[in-house]
Amino acid sequence: KNKKSSSNFALIKLYYFPSYSPEGQIMSLKVAPNFDEMNNTIVASVPPICRVHHRTTPPNSSGSKKNQQEAVNSSKSSSISGCESIIRFLTLPRQAGVVLLLEFLNSFRILGLRFVLFNYVTNEYGISDTYAGKLLGIKGMVDVIFGLVGSILVDLIGVRKVSIVALTVAIIGRSLLAFGRTNTTLIAALLFFSPCGEAMLSMGLYRVALKKLTTPLTRPLAFAVSYAASNLSGALADVAIDRMRSLVKDLEIDRNLLVLSGVYTPIRQFIVLTWIVLLITFVIAFCFLRDETVVDADDPDPSNQLPSPSAQRSHRLGDDIFDDEYRENGPSADSHATMPLDAIPARPIVSPRMLKKIFPNQFPVVHSPEDEEATREQGQLSNHRKTRRLSALPNYKVYKTPSTRECNNHESHTMTCFIGNPINGIVHVINQIIKIAAIINTWQVMVFGVSCCTIAMQWTASEVVLPPFLERRYGEHIAIYTIQSINLFGGLILPPVVGALTTGTEDFQIVMPGLWIMASSPIFLALFPNVLGACMWQIAMTVGEVLWSPRQDSWTAGLAPSGMEGLFFAIGSARSLLSPLGDMAMGFLNEKYNTNCPDCRDQYGHFCQYLSVENDVLQCVSVQESCDLFLSVENDNTVPTCPKTCLECATWEATNPSIFWFMLMAFSMSSPLAVWFFLPFLRGHHARNDGCYGIFKMSTKRILGILGVVDDCISYEYIEESEMRATHEEGVIVAGKE
């Protein structure tokens, strides 16, 4: 009888044999008083509160109390040092480096186009802000459709084939955008070729590949590096745009070159540069990209689990049949990771010899828990283990990732994979959708994605509103895209540092503060609608973003079930479903609070800022052509000046831009509030009947969860006395459950 409450407890000595779901949750426990009575087992259903984030080898019946207690303690801590995290990342397969390189190039051309697209279509095609917003909104809707198709194809035919097909189509679309001159080519590029090619690549394609090429311990840092690589490419694109705007002049090609003829402004020349990058990306993907999966017995991925080969012969998790080895020794380390027969040792990104030079002192700390246990039990290492201990490296192996596969790791311990025909492929996709819809992880990712829709509008505002805002009010000489690159350079430098320092920290302890910082960042531009305010906004937004956005990618990747990563990442990008509405809204608000001045600009978007005097006629001209803007001498013989900004344009209607930035901040605040409301559900510590996944359970820590504080819940690290008590004695678990 618990004196603190009316709950009853039964204390039972038991041996435990857990069965895990693809999401890393314990689905059932096989327990018995001793190994001789395994046929009289109790199968207990376990709620999601017992999610396992990291596991080491469970204690067996033959070990000493000290060794078993240390094993239990090690299973409760998944944190590793920053240096160890970096070393583990650098020893990942080289294919991970290829994927990161492709993501860097892919981000350069995609982000670079997004940064200039609004200005490009409004300045060079004479399109109004509202119409441009509608066009980009429709493009966003088509992007979502093709992105979902690409996500399904990734699971069906693999990353390599989807990448090559998408890059081929993207080359056609970027060619139309770079060299086309009519609205027809513009619409064809934006509404068909670009979504069909580029959207397939941007909807998590390389994230799927990176997920397969990382293990749970290396995944947070790997996704932080991926995030940093994407930001580096975007920052370089911003710098390149501004350098070309300030140093490169308009280029006019003779009309005899039919397709290539016309005026190439610095912005159009940059789009041609992204076309060249796209060609390079295609060559690298065609020559070096492969479908591979990494596996490490010491750092198992919950979505790729199989028991040891000897155990496969005679038992299934969830059944009552166990072989002699399993009966005597309990679960082995090999039972925690899928190790296909075709797995071969991986070639690391950085060689061991180079790692020892880079980390002479920290290098030996990376070792396998298996080796430590063997050292304690045997007093010395075997030659095999001694080699591994001295090499101090994770034992990564890789195997070819099959296409269109149908695997059931928990009903049969033989992985059945096949290359399917179209009908089998369709059936496989339907089964995937049904399976994904049936697991709680899917709804967790969807809820988080939808909750972050409003805060994601800041990225849209940074790309769609900020460049025309600065250009129209402060002129063409302002380094617009360099200011925008503050966010990207911060995203380059900070995520790996944050990822290394916060490895092992609960995800939402990092996510919640980041959401609040980013949500409040537009206050700077609302109070100071000028260049300084824009810089302050970019800095504050970056600080918040690097805390929550890379962590969300890692969190989503950890929840993705094996074989369904593409579709799962598409669902994880649920906020993209509402992004087209954001594009349309930005176009409308741009025209309302940040109006253009077409009367003072030429057909290429240049300001008519130079005064030309010919035959006593004062006319304003741009760097490219004469404008229909004539001036007259004032009565005091003062020479008039031509407009360098919209503020100096006589026909321009003044607006108050601060209203827009206050509105953006108000919309952004709804995201951290929504995430906090669903936080217990997102953490997965509560069952459905436990206050609707804990959403409606109130406590002090539940309220403080608005800042990321971990609430009162059950997990392998935090156990409430009123719910469960556990200790370890002489090879058995003594547990009490209400």
Side-chain angles (χ1 to χ4, degrees), residues 160-202:
R160 173 180 167 80
K161 292 181 180 179
V162 173
S163 180
I164 291 175
V165 172
L167 287 170
T168 302
V169 179
I171 289 173
I172 300 174
R174 192 56 61 94
S175 300
L176 292 176
L177 201 59
F179 305 110
R181 299 285 173 173
T182 65
N183 286 352
T184 302
T185 58
L186 176 66
I187 293 174
L190 294 182
L191 302 187
F192 179 74
F193 290 103
S194 178
C196 185
E198 299 180 8
M200 290 174 121
L201 297 172
S202 60

Side-chain angles (χ1 to χ4, degrees), residues 365-558:
V365 304
V366 182
H367 57 272
S368 168
E370 247 180 58
D371 299 338
E372 290 296 326
E373 185 177 355
T375 303
R376 289 191 296 265
E377 291 182 355
Q378 302 173 13
Q380 59 182 0
L381 296 172
S382 64
N383 291 336
H384 171 66
R385 293 186 184 273
K386 192 170 184 179
T387 301
R388 289 182 59 195
R389 180 67 180 90
L390 292 178
S391 66
L393 291 175
N395 186 24
Y396 294 132
K397 293 185 178 181
V398 294
Y399 62 93
K400 187 180 185 304
T401 306
S403 305
T404 308
R405 60 191 185 179
E406 191 175 88
C407 305
N408 193 337
N409 295 342
H410 300 284
E411 293 181 2
S412 173
H413 295 299
T414 58
M415 182 177 291
T416 304
C417 301
F418 62 90
I419 305 298
N421 56 38
I423 296 178
N424 289 339
I426 294 173
V427 173
H428 178 75
V429 170
I430 295 175
N431 289 335
Q432 276 189 323
I433 295 174
I434 294 174
K435 289 179 181 178
I436 281 184
I439 61 178
I440 192 173
N441 294 14
T442 304
W443 299 100
Q444 289 173 320
V445 171
M446 286 185 64
V447 166
F448 188 90
V450 174
S451 299
C452 293
C453 282
T454 54
I455 200 170
M457 291 179 65
Q458 290 197 32
W459 292 322
T460 305
S462 181
E463 298 163 4
V464 174
V465 179
L466 185 63
F469 166 77
L470 293 175
E471 184 179 75
R472 294 172 185 178
R473 290 180 172 269
Y474 300 101
E476 295 181 73
H477 67 282
I478 295 295
I480 301 170
Y481 300 98
T482 301
I483 295 173
Q484 192 181 65
S485 70
I486 293 174
N487 173 255
L488 298 165
F489 276 116
L492 161 68
I493 299 171
L494 298 179
V497 177
V498 174
L501 294 178
T502 60
T503 299
T505 306
E506 198 269 339
D507 292 321
F508 289 94
Q509 287 184 286
I510 308 299
V511 168
M512 288 304 302
L515 287 173
W516 282 113
I517 294 172
M518 182 172 172
S520 59
S521 60
I523 188 66
F524 293 105
L525 201 48
L527 296 176
F528 310 103
N530 50 37
V531 175
L532 177 61
C535 295
M536 295 171 67
W537 172 48
Q538 291 289 307
I539 294 173
M541 181 175 67
T542 301
V543 173
E545 178 185 338
V546 298
L547 290 176
W548 78 267
S549 190
R551 198 71 176 206
Q552 181 219 358
D553 289 340
S554 174
W555 174 72
T556 302

Side-chain angles (χ1 to χ4, degrees), residues 651-693:
T651 59
W652 180 71
E653 297 181 4
T655 56
N656 184 6
S658 294
I659 297 176
F660 169 80
W661 301 109
F662 276 121
M663 292 172 60
L664 181 63
M665 184 181 68
F667 282 127
S668 299
M669 287 291 182
S670 63
S671 286
L673 287 174
V675 172
W676 168 73
F677 179 77
F678 293 107
L679 190 56
F681 170 69
L682 297 175
R683 278 174 164 157
H685 292 150
H686 297 271
R688 182 171 59 182
N689 58 358
D690 186 16
C692 190
Y693 296 103

Side-chain angles (χ1 to χ4, degrees), residues 602-733:
D602 66 12
Q603 62 175 326
Y604 303 105
H606 298 301
F607 280 99
C608 304
Q609 56 184 316
Y610 303 105
L611 182 62
S612 173
V613 180
E614 187 174 351
N615 297 327
D616 295 332
V617 176
L618 304 181
Q619 183 179 14
C620 294
V621 299
S622 68
V623 295
Q624 187 61 40
E625 62 183 13
S626 299
C627 304
D628 294 331
L629 184 60
F630 298 91
L631 304 177
S632 58
V633 179
E634 302 293 338
N635 294 331
D636 58 356
N637 294 326
T638 302
V639 178
T641 58
C642 293
K644 298 179 181 179
T645 66
C646 286
L647 297 176
E648 300 174 3
C649 185
T651 59
W652 180 71
E653 297 181 4
T655 56
N656 184 6
S658 294
I659 297 176
F660 169 80
W661 301 109
F662 276 121
M663 292 172 60
L664 181 63
M665 184 181 68
F667 282 127
S668 299
M669 287 291 182
S670 63
S671 286
L673 287 174
V675 172
W676 168 73
F677 179 77
F678 293 107
L679 190 56
F681 170 69
L682 297 175
R683 278 174 164 157
H685 292 150
H686 297 271
R688 182 171 59 182
N689 58 358
D690 186 16
C692 190
Y693 296 103
I695 293 175
F696 298 108
K697 291 187 68 175
M698 284 295 119
S699 66
T700 302
K701 288 188 177 180
R702 169 72 174 99
I703 296 174
L704 292 177
I706 200 168
L707 299 177
V709 175
V710 180
D711 60 352
D712 295 329
C713 59
I714 302 175
S715 69
Y716 72 99
E717 292 178 328
Y718 184 86
I719 303 180
E720 279 285 345
E721 183 181 0
S722 62
E723 297 287 347
M724 183 179 290
R725 299 196 304 272
T727 58
H728 195 274
E729 292 184 357
E730 298 293 14
V732 299
I733 295 293

Side-chain angles (χ1 to χ4, degrees), residues 13-16 32-35 58-69 727-734:
K13 290 185 177 182
L14 55 89
Y15 291 94
Y16 71 98
N34 55 61
F35 284 104
N60 56 50
S61 59
S62 61
S64 65
K65 177 178 179 180
K66 179 181 178 181
N67 294 345
Q68 293 162 355
Q69 186 64 50
T727 58
H728 195 274
E729 292 184 357
E730 298 293 14
V732 299
I733 295 293
V734 181

Side-chain angles (χ1 to χ4, degrees), residues 33-328:
N34 55 61
F35 284 104
D36 296 329
E37 299 184 15
M38 284 310 301
N39 289 330
N40 300 320
T41 58
I42 304 170
V43 178
S45 177
V46 180
I49 52 178
C50 295
R51 167 181 289 176
V52 174
H53 296 275
H54 176 65
R55 298 186 298 279
T56 58
T57 305
N60 56 50
S61 59
S62 61
S64 65
K65 177 178 179 180
K66 179 181 178 181
N67 294 345
Q68 293 162 355
Q69 186 64 50
E70 289 176 354
V72 171
N73 293 339
S74 67
S75 69
K76 293 182 179 181
S77 177
S78 62
S79 62
I80 58 177
S81 67
C83 287
E84 182 175 350
S85 179
I86 294 173
I87 292 174
R88 285 183 175 271
F89 167 75
L90 294 177
T91 53
L92 285 172
R94 290 186 180 180
Q95 191 65 203
V98 174
V99 170
L100 291 173
L101 175 60
L102 288 174
E103 186 160 8
F104 170 82
L105 297 174
N106 190 59
S107 298
F108 180 88
R109 62 184 184 81
I110 290 180
L111 293 178
L113 178 63
R114 280 168 49 186
F115 296 156
V116 302
L117 187 57
F118 192 86
N119 266 354
Y120 182 64
V121 298
T122 54
N123 291 343
E124 299 214 14
Y125 289 87
I127 295 176
S128 67
D129 289 349
T130 301
Y131 183 79
K134 292 179 180 178
L135 184 63
L136 297 183
I138 296 173
K139 177 184 180 296
M141 294 179 184
V142 182
D143 283 345
V144 171
I145 296 173
F146 278 100
L148 291 174
V149 173
S151 300
I152 294 173
L153 290 177
V154 167
D155 295 331
L156 288 176
I157 63 177
V159 172
R160 173 180 167 80
K161 292 181 180 179
V162 173
S163 180
I164 291 175
V165 172
L167 287 170
T168 302
V169 179
I171 289 173
I172 300 174
R174 192 56 61 94
S175 300
L176 292 176
L177 201 59
F179 305 110
R181 299 285 173 173
T182 65
N183 286 352
T184 302
T185 58
L186 176 66
I187 293 174
L190 294 182
L191 302 187
F192 179 74
F193 290 103
S194 178
C196 185
E198 299 180 8
M200 290 174 121
L201 297 172
S202 60
M203 190 68 81
L205 176 71
Y206 296 123
R207 283 191 294 172
V208 171
L210 192 60
K211 190 261 182 183
K212 293 179 182 293
L213 290 166
T214 56
T215 61
L217 282 179
T218 58
R219 195 163 293 144
L221 180 57
F223 274 85
V225 173
S226 169
Y227 192 82
S230 177
N231 280 279
L232 172 60
S233 62
L236 294 179
D238 272 332
V239 172
I241 295 168
D242 264 341
R243 296 294 290 176
M244 295 179 74
R245 289 174 65 243
S246 61
L247 301 179
V248 179
K249 298 181 179 179
D250 289 1
L251 176 64
E252 186 170 359
I253 297 180
D254 191 87
R255 296 183 181 273
N256 294 329
L257 299 175
L258 299 177
V259 177
L260 303 178
S261 63
V263 175
Y264 286 80
T265 63
I267 297 298
R268 186 179 285 270
Q269 292 179 49
F270 174 77
I271 293 179
V272 174
L273 175 62
T274 64
W275 175 75
I276 297 173
V277 171
L278 181 55
L279 295 177
I280 297 173
T281 306
F282 175 82
V283 173
I284 294 175
F286 185 83
C287 296
F288 301 106
L289 184 62
R290 297 189 300 272
D291 290 299
E292 291 182 349
T293 300
V294 69
V295 62
D296 180 14
D298 298 329
D299 185 15
D301 193 328
S303 62
N304 284 321
Q305 294 179 38
L306 284 178
S308 62
S310 60
Q312 292 182 35
R313 295 193 300 268
S314 55
H315 75 85
R316 295 179 180 182
L317 292 177
D319 294 341
D320 297 330
I321 305 173
F322 290 84
D323 64 354
D324 294 336
E325 176 190 350
Y326 198 86
R327 185 189 305 273
E328 179 180 354

